Amino acid sequence: MLGPSVFKKLLLASCVLALPAVTSVALADPVEQTKGRFEDKFRQLEGEEWPTPTDYRNAAGEPGYRYWQQKVDYRIKASLNEATRTLTATQTVTYKNNSPDTLRYLWLMLDQNNYKRDSIAQLTDTVSSSKEISVGEVRRVKRMQVWEGGFNDLKVTAADGSALAFTLNDTLMRIDLAQPLKSGESLTFTVSWSVPLPETKVVGGRSGYECFTKPGEDGNCIFLGAQWFPRLAVYSDYEGWHNKAFIGSGEFTLEFGDYEVELTVPADHIVSATGELLNPGEVLTAAQQKRYIEARTASSPVYVVTPDEAAAAEKSKATGTKTWKFRADNVRDFAFGSSRKFIWDAMGVKNADPAHPTVMAMSFFPKEARPLWDAYSTKSIAHTLNVYGKFAFAYPYPTAQSVNGPVGGMEYPMITFNGPRPVKDKKTGELTYTERAKYGLIGVVIHEIGHIWFPMTVNSDERQWTWMDEGINSFLQFQAEKEWDKDYPTRRGEPKSMVEYMLSENQVPIMTNSESIPQFGNNAYGKPAAALTILRETVLGREKFDFAFKEYSRRWQFKRPTPYDFFRTMEEASGTDLDWFWRGWFYSTDHVDIELADVKKARLNTRDPVVEKAWEKVQDDAQPDSLTAARNTGKTVVETDPATVDYYNTDDKWEPTVKEKKKYADLQKDIDPDLKEALAVKDNFYNFTFRNKGGLVMPVILKMDYTDGTSETVRIPAEVWRYNPAQVTWQHATLKTLKQAVIDPLWETADADVSNNAFPRKIDEQRFEVREGEDGPNRMKDDELVVTPDSLKTQPKKADKK
Ligand SMILES: [Zn+2]
């Protein structure tokens, strides 16, 4: 899903961003420090926060030798009733029990039931302000009084046609089996149902319809089918049946399987869907089929359905229907878009997966999305395939689609919904687009197509750990944006972009359940993306990070990883203990603020009185003399009475004594060779004191500028903090003379306060805004006193009668 932005309100309408008071909870700590104040930020997570490895997922973070997952195949026949905006379907499900367990019942996810009036989602909807309500919120409240979503006419039958009992529990449904389903066995059953589609821009959500029925519009609608049919819940080795209801934020996780879907829609509709179209001859004209074939080898997008054809279709409504047939193998869900408004462009993209050497990148959009979509949607898909293919694995499917409709940004296998559109110029009435809309579209297409890797192929559980798909995907989106344009106005991924959030009180650790995160976008998208950038650029370096990340992607392609599998793989494959990093960034709300608190310079004492006395004199001369003595104007006793002057008044105390010179000469006669060598060292020894004010232990990148004009940067690993995570002193010896030093000069660690990074400190350059039209403060006005022109008397202003 696209992160919080202008679209957030629409997407999360059932999850209004009320901000609960943050309470801190002391966690039971298996290791207790009772003497002194020391916190071991490098303590291992194994055996404490992380689960014990099993035969199903091993200690290296790989699928274990007995790894299993269920397989669920679907054959769905669905029809869209444009007039009633309802979907009706019959689906035959084949469930293969690959687990070692016997199952007596199956759980299904009925996500559309979160639109039922008595659902957890609707009943727990809270508001963020008691002072105001938006027009959108008023519309939603009024709509929900008259409209109710959710599945109707549910019927479940066994393969022999007998009815199967089922029980609804919010967005979940349990089917009780006539016979227990043993390990290795398969079961086929049928579910029939109907569901009213929500008007997405009114009630929110990830599916539904949008109609262009305002004055001057063509009166047609776009329909999006998402989370639209009863889908088998996950049964896994680490959690058994997934039983988290759909409340609105946590997206979903499902089983992989093969889909054959027949969608019956008005005859003049164009359909985009998960998978490959099996019957182009039945639904497209000969010219459209010919252009589709041309697009496979084209170097820029080709219209399969042209703007003119879409404009013609908008003028009337067909009375008949057509059935579009799709097939999708090894996917974890199925979604579609359908409209007579759709323009369709396509372009073949070369791909490294031998099973899919050419991927069809395709976009479906109404005229209202032009000319932005013609220019950027399909090209953004192609760019994503290249960049993500490089970081993870080659795109594993035959098609990659981007559909414009009422959903701001959402992903499903092979198909994504993306919202940005141009705006109408108020003067000319022409459609034009802002820079924000342009980069908004490119960014959201990269993001949503990127999700086809994470989590549509690397099947993490979004309903539990949003960061596993949104965070990892936002990190890769950042990479793809910077490969689109070095100056791309990226929103997430740069470490410095997370500073403000990491300082805020209103936050929870990244490892918090998806439904309980107050600042969703920062927590699940921005912070993990910044953390991974730091892990790549600063902690591990690109070579080790890229190898480990690719290994994680490879290991868990078409499988189901947990956070611990990610953490373990990144450590194992990079050969680096990163527990301190996960603890700080994923398990805590600490921020980064490392201060270069002090720098001291020292030379070794040569023990040569000639050298050392001279040095002492320089130090002494640098100090001011007694102010009192200097200000006294009269003559002193020793000035007026020569008899009071003796040896101590005339001796130069900076001149070495005979005794001191002899002691040094004696040392030279019988000196230990190691000591002699040490005393000859001419290096300057610099002691740098680093103070950790934010709590997060991080590498310290120290840049030293010398008086000879040269510079040196030392990248000190985070382990520098292992004895004391609050303050450490680190030494550097050099023949050069230090002029100034700065830590994190490139702002790569998300350091929250860079003003304490330099030594000596730098003056903070600012601008004062000049306020216009007001004099200085008027005391009488401030006090609200009333004065009369003829009197010096003042009196308090009378209270307003209102
Ligand atoms: Zn997303």
Side-chain angles (χ1 to χ4, degrees):
M1 189 181 76
L2 176 72
S5 66
V6 288
F7 311 109
K8 167 140 201 165
K9 191 68 204 166
L10 298 170
L11 286 165
L12 303 179
S14 57
C15 178
V16 178
L17 297 177
L19 305 178
V22 177
T23 51
S24 62
V25 179
L27 296 167
D29 200 336
V31 179
E32 213 179 335
Q33 172 86 19
T34 58
K35 294 280 191 294
R37 292 183 58 196
F38 179 73
E39 189 190 348
D40 182 4
K41 303 245 179 190
F42 294 84
R43 204 168 82 217
Q44 296 299 285
L45 291 150
E46 282 93 350
E48 293 184 13
E49 279 83 353
W50 291 357
T52 308
T54 64
D55 295 347
Y56 308 125
R57 45 194 75 233
N58 71 21
E62 277 180 294
Y65 76 101
R66 291 173 67 201
Y67 179 86
W68 57 268
Q69 64 189 16
Q70 311 292 59
K71 183 169 190 284
V72 191
D73 300 328
Y74 296 81
R75 296 186 66 165
I76 307 175
K77 288 184 180 180
S79 59
L80 168 68
N81 185 325
E82 189 170 23
T84 61
R85 290 153 191 172
T86 304
L87 286 171
T88 306
T90 299
Q91 64 188 67
T92 301
V93 181
T94 302
Y95 189 90
K96 173 86 192 292
N97 180 13
N98 291 323
S99 82
D101 312 322
T102 297
L103 303 176
R104 292 174 185 278
Y105 49 81
L106 305 176
W107 281 102
L108 283 78
M109 295 279 180
L110 275 58
D111 285 359
Q112 292 290 325
N113 277 3
N114 82 335
Y115 290 115
K116 292 269 189 201
R117 229 162 259 155
D118 59 357
S119 68
I120 296 175
Q122 300 305 325
L123 289 175
T124 61
D125 197 7
T126 51
V127 295
S128 55
S129 168
S130 56
K131 300 266 185 201
E132 57 183 28
I133 186 165
S134 70
V135 171
E137 284 165 323
V138 174
R139 281 182 81 197
R140 180 168 197 280
V141 166
K142 292 309 291 176
R143 180 64 58 88
M144 293 309 283
Q145 287 174 348
V146 295
W147 179 85
E148 185 174 26
F151 289 97
N152 297 314
D153 313 319
L154 272 166
K155 221 173 95 186
V156 185
T157 46
D160 64 4
S162 61
L164 284 171
F166 64 87
T167 305
L168 292 172
N169 176 23
D170 202 65
T171 62
L172 281 89
M173 176 171 90
R174 191 189 71 228
I175 298 177
D176 298 334
L177 304 180
Q179 302 291 328
L181 184 64
K182 293 199 182 100
S183 176
E185 288 181 353
S186 287
L187 169 79
T188 298
F189 61 95
T190 300
V191 188
S192 60
W193 49 266
S194 71
V195 74
L197 291 171
E199 186 171 3
T200 317
K201 288 197 169 181
V202 178
V203 300
R206 299 170 173 90
S207 59
Y209 65 90
E210 174 188 18
C211 295
F212 294 75
T213 45
K214 283 188 175 161
E217 294 183 333
D218 58 69
N220 292 293
C221 309
I222 295 171
F223 296 88
L224 301 178
Q227 297 170 235
W228 58 282
F229 59 96
R231 307 171 298 171
L232 261 293
V234 165
Y235 185 76
S236 69
D237 60 277
Y238 62 88
E239 150 174 78
W241 283 108
H242 192 299
N243 47 29
K244 189 122 182 105
F246 183 47
I247 309 182
S249 289
E251 289 170 8
F252 62 92
T253 183
L254 297 168
E255 307 285 9
F256 286 103
D258 302 332
Y259 286 69
E260 280 177 43
V261 180
E262 295 184 10
L263 296 167
T264 300
V265 299
D268 51 1
H269 271 211
I270 294 295
V271 178
S272 161
T274 296
E276 279 184 299
L277 180 62
L278 297 179
N279 62 335
E282 290 169 36
V283 293
L284 299 177
T285 65
Q288 288 165 344
Q289 292 176 63
K290 186 166 163 282
R291 294 196 293 261
Y292 183 85
I293 291 161
E294 282 167 14
R296 277 194 88 80
T297 51
S299 55
S300 57
V302 170
Y303 291 116
V304 177
V305 174
T306 66
D308 286 346
E309 287 168 336
E314 281 180 343
K315 292 203 168 69
S316 59
K317 286 187 175 60
T319 48
T321 61
K322 274 184 184 167
T323 297
W324 294 61
K325 297 175 182 167
F326 294 90
R327 181 174 178 89
D329 289 336
N330 209 14
V331 290
R332 73 169 203 167
D333 197 7
F334 187 101
F336 69 91
S338 181
S339 179
R340 68 176 58 81
K341 290 175 67 63
F342 281 154
I343 296 157
W344 170 2
D345 76 17
M347 175 174 78
V349 180
K350 294 269 170 293
N351 187 46
D353 183 346
H356 309 290
T358 300
V359 176
M360 287 302 278
M362 306 192 283
S363 299
F364 298 77
F365 49 94
K367 65 178 181 299
E368 288 79 5
R370 307 190 68 210
L372 186 60
W373 275 63
D374 315 60
Y376 294 115
S377 178
T378 295
K379 284 185 177 172
S380 301
I381 299 173
H383 177 63
T384 311
L385 300 186
N386 291 328
V387 176
Y388 280 62
K390 207 167 59 186
F391 274 90
F393 45 78
Y395 189 76
Y397 295 119
T399 65
Q401 300 161 67
S402 166
V403 180
N404 181 254
V407 174
M410 188 59 201
E411 70 282 2
Y412 297 93
M414 294 184 243
I415 184 172
T416 64
F417 302 149
N418 302 300
R421 279 181 195 150
V423 288
K424 213 172 239 173
D425 188 292
K426 279 192 180 123
K427 280 184 196 153
T428 64
E430 282 191 344
L431 284 171
T432 172
Y433 56 84
T434 59
E435 187 185 20
R436 186 188 153 96
K438 171 187 165 181
Y439 290 111
L441 176 66
I442 297 168
V444 75
V445 172
I446 291 171
H447 183 96
E448 308 308 342
I449 294 290
H451 272 310
I452 300 175
W453 277 263
F454 306 93
M456 295 300 148
T457 307
V458 178
N459 186 9
S460 60
D461 184 349
E462 304 169 85
R463 203 161 284 179
Q464 300 287 5
W465 303 291
T466 297
W467 70 266
M468 286 195 79
D469 63 296
E470 299 298 357
I472 288 175
N473 186 38
S474 295
F475 161 73
L476 290 176
Q477 177 192 352
F478 171 60
Q479 303 302 330
E481 287 174 350
K482 290 302 183 208
E483 289 194 35
W484 179 281
D485 184 345
K486 277 188 183 346
D487 296 324
Y488 195 100
T490 311
R491 287 200 304 146
R492 299 193 171 107
E494 280 299 351
K496 67 182 176 192
S497 69
M498 268 303 103
V499 164
E500 200 183 318
Y501 168 69
M502 288 175 72
L503 284 172
S504 79
E505 290 291 317
N506 185 32
Q507 58 166 312
V508 291
I510 292 175
M511 283 293 289
T512 300
N513 177 266
S514 305
E515 297 290 354
S516 309
I517 300 169
Q519 295 199 53
F520 204 71
N522 284 324
N523 177 290
Y525 296 63
K527 187 176 167 186
L532 293 177
T533 301
I534 293 169
L535 194 59
R536 179 172 191 245
E537 304 285 1
T538 305
V539 177
L540 292 176
R542 290 187 168 197
E543 194 273 326
K544 275 182 280 188
F545 178 94
D546 292 353
F547 176 83
F549 186 82
K550 205 168 217 172
E551 181 64 8
Y552 166 73
S553 310
R554 184 195 67 75
R555 286 178 177 183
W556 293 99
Q557 185 180 14
F558 294 116
K559 294 194 175 73
R560 188 186 308 289
T562 64
Y564 326 106
D565 300 314
F566 176 74
F567 297 146
R568 284 173 161 141
T569 297
M570 292 304 288
E571 295 198 8
E572 288 280 323
S574 71
T576 311
D577 174 21
L578 295 169
D579 291 43
W580 62 271
F581 187 84
W582 313 128
R583 252 188 206 291
W585 281 90
F586 290 76
Y587 286 83
S588 93
T589 49
D590 283 348
H591 65 274
V592 184
D593 180 12
I594 297 173
E595 177 190 13
L596 178 49
D598 187 37
V599 182
K600 286 208 166 28
K601 173 186 167 186
R603 284 278 293 271
L604 301 186
N605 189 321
T606 62
R607 302 197 191 180
D608 179 347
V610 177
V611 175
E612 296 307 319
K613 286 271 172 136
W615 182 78
E616 284 169 26
K617 182 173 189 313
V618 170
Q619 306 311 307
D620 189 76
D621 289 350
Q623 293 181 19
D625 291 330
S626 162
L627 179 64
T628 301
R631 283 184 175 171
N632 290 346
T633 52
K635 298 254 176 187
T636 62
V637 173
V638 296
E639 283 166 344
T640 53
D641 181 0
T644 61
V645 175
D646 69 2
Y647 167 81
Y648 294 109
N649 296 91
T650 56
D651 176 54
D652 181 356
K653 67 175 176 179
W654 305 117
E655 184 66 33
T657 63
V658 174
K659 198 175 155 190
E660 285 166 342
K661 284 181 181 165
K662 179 167 184 304
K663 191 182 168 195
Y664 183 64
D666 289 348
L667 174 69
Q668 296 299 314
K669 276 180 215 155
D670 188 26
I671 192 165
D672 174 77
D674 288 348
L675 178 61
K676 186 176 181 184
E677 211 172 301
L679 295 182
V681 166
K682 299 264 191 295
D683 288 61
N684 293 311
F685 285 74
Y686 291 99
N687 280 6
F688 297 88
T689 297
F690 307 128
R691 197 170 292 152
N692 184 354
K693 301 174 97 173
L696 248 175
V697 289
M698 286 291 279
V700 181
I701 299 102
L702 176 68
K703 179 169 178 272
M704 293 166 284
D705 296 332
Y706 298 114
T707 51
D708 66 0
T710 61
S711 290
E712 182 181 3
T713 299
V714 181
R715 305 180 76 86
I716 306 165
E719 282 79 359
V720 72
W721 302 103
R722 69 193 181 282
Y723 296 123
N724 184 349
Q727 180 171 315
V728 291
T729 298
W730 180 87
Q731 194 171 73
H732 185 64
T734 173
L735 285 169
K736 296 184 177 185
T737 302
L738 188 70
K739 192 171 95 189
Q740 59 194 20
V742 61
I743 55 176
D744 196 12
L746 303 177
W747 293 9
E748 59 188 280
T749 67
D751 193 312
D753 182 5
V754 291
S755 76
N756 62 24
N757 287 14
F759 197 95
R761 291 281 184 268
K762 288 191 168 53
I763 292 174
D764 193 9
E765 297 270 355
Q766 297 198 355
R767 281 279 189 280
F768 284 142
E769 293 301 329
V770 179
R771 195 174 47 233
E772 286 173 272
E774 270 180 53
D775 297 328
N778 178 334
R779 191 182 66 80
M780 290 186 174
K781 185 178 153 199
D782 285 358
D783 290 345
E784 299 201 322
L785 297 176
V786 177
V787 291
T788 48
D790 303 327
S791 164
L792 287 175
K793 278 190 181 163
T794 58
Q795 49 189 301
K797 192 177 164 188
K798 277 176 196 153
D800 253 332
K801 278 184 185 149
K802 280 186 239 170

